[in-house]
Amino acid sequence: MALHSEHVDRDNLGGGRFRDTIALKPIAYRKDGSLRHITSQLAATGDPAFPVGVSELSDFRVDPRIAGKSPLIHFGKGGSFARFALLNANNVSGVVTGNAITFLNVWNNADLTYTMGGHRLQEDILLRANHPRSFAFRLQEHMGFDPLTLVFGNEFRILQPVLEPPAGNAQMSIPLQWLMTQQGGKWILTMTLPTGDWTGWTLDPTLTLQPDAADGKDTTIASNTQ
C-alpha cells in the first residue's frame, strides 16, 4: 500500500512562516458507545452481484472476477454509493488475502490491488514493463456524485491519482489528475501517465470516506513550522 498523506493543510502564519498539518487515516471507529480497532477482513457477502466484501466504517463489496464491463466494486456509506467498472480490462480472477484482493494482469502488464482500511479503499495499480499509458473506469451506478468535486453526497470522495516510486527510490511522488468525460450518460474517469517508462512504479487512485468524529478518530500531526 502506498504511504502518502491523506489530508495536508498549510496555514500562512505571516512573516514567512507556515504550518503544515498532516492528518492520517483513522485506526479505530466508534460503535455501541466504544472505540474499536479496524479489522476489515474480506469475507463472503451472499450477494450474487458482489460476492466478497466487508462493512465497517464503509460498505465495500467486490466481484472476485472481472467480466467485461460489469461493475467490479461497490463502495459507499449511508445513502451515498458508487459502482465502478474497469474499461479495456482483461477478464481475470482476483485472490483475496486478509483485507485485500489482487487481480494479476488486469490490464496488459499492470496488476490491480484493492485494500480496505476502515474508511479508505486503497487502489494500487502496479506497473510492469510495456504497461498501458492510461487507465479508465466507468461510474456504472451512483448516488450523490458531484463531478466537479469528486464528492458523493458529502459522505465520501475520490482522491486525485498519484504515481508512486518503487520502494527505495529517492524520486518524489507525481500527482496526476482525473479526466472526466461522459459516455452514454455515464461518467468515465481516465488517468493518463506522463511520457516515459514507469516500470516498477505504482499508480494510486483512492476512495475515502469523509472524516467523521462520530465514527472514527484521526491521528493528526502538526509539523514543519517554518
Side-chain angles (χ1 to χ4, degrees):
M1 182 183 294
L3 299 176
H4 63 84
S5 58
E6 182 175 337
H7 308 287
V8 179
D9 296 318
R10 167 161 284 199
D11 299 317
N12 189 338
L13 304 180
R17 298 174 68 245
F18 298 88
R19 178 176 60 214
D20 291 338
T21 302
I22 303 172
L24 304 179
K25 63 184 180 181
I27 58 172
Y29 67 103
R30 187 171 296 280
K31 184 175 182 180
D32 300 330
S34 62
L35 285 175
R36 302 187 181 191
H37 289 292
I38 290 171
T39 55
S40 294
Q41 296 295 303
L42 299 185
T45 64
D47 180 351
F50 300 95
V52 176
V54 61
S55 291
E56 200 157 13
L57 294 186
S58 64
D59 179 12
F60 168 56
R61 287 172 278 161
V62 62
D63 191 330
R65 178 166 175 78
I66 296 171
K69 297 179 181 178
S70 299
L72 176 65
I73 65 168
H74 170 106
F75 183 86
K77 181 185 179 186
S80 302
F81 73 91
R83 290 176 177 171
F84 287 93
L86 277 57
L87 298 186
N88 304 314
N90 299 319
N91 293 340
V92 297
S93 296
V95 177
V96 174
T97 305
N99 62 334
I101 183 168
T102 298
F103 299 89
L104 297 178
N105 209 47
V106 61
W107 293 280
N108 291 340
N109 303 307
D111 304 329
L112 169 66
T113 297
Y114 286 112
T115 306
M116 187 64 207
H119 82 317
R120 178 184 178 94
L121 179 60
Q122 180 84 22
E123 183 177 53
D124 291 324
I125 300 173
L126 178 62
L127 304 174
R128 292 185 273 108
N130 301 314
H131 56 74
R133 282 290 317 285
S134 64
F135 301 85
F137 301 79
R138 175 186 282 122
L139 187 50
Q140 203 80 354
E141 299 177 60
H142 66 86
M143 184 68 70
F145 179 56
D146 183 343
L148 296 179
T149 62
L150 304 183
V151 170
F152 293 76
N154 294 321
E155 294 280 8
F156 67 96
R157 67 187 183 280
I158 304 173
L159 301 183
Q160 294 292 350
V162 178
L163 189 56
E164 303 277 4
N169 189 315
Q171 292 178 265
M172 300 292 290
S173 300
I174 301 174
L176 304 177
Q177 293 283 323
W178 289 109
L179 173 65
M180 303 293 299
T181 57
Q182 276 197 309
Q183 185 181 88
K186 298 183 185 298
W187 287 105
I188 307 294
L189 292 81
T190 304
M191 50 189 163
T192 300
L193 299 174
T195 301
D197 179 10
W198 302 101
T199 299
W201 287 60
T202 299
L203 190 55
D204 166 26
T206 297
L207 289 162
T208 179
L209 293 178
Q210 303 286 10
D212 185 342
D215 286 337
K217 297 294 184 180
D218 276 357
T219 301
T220 303
I221 304 172
S223 64
N224 196 25
T225 300
Q226 50 182 308

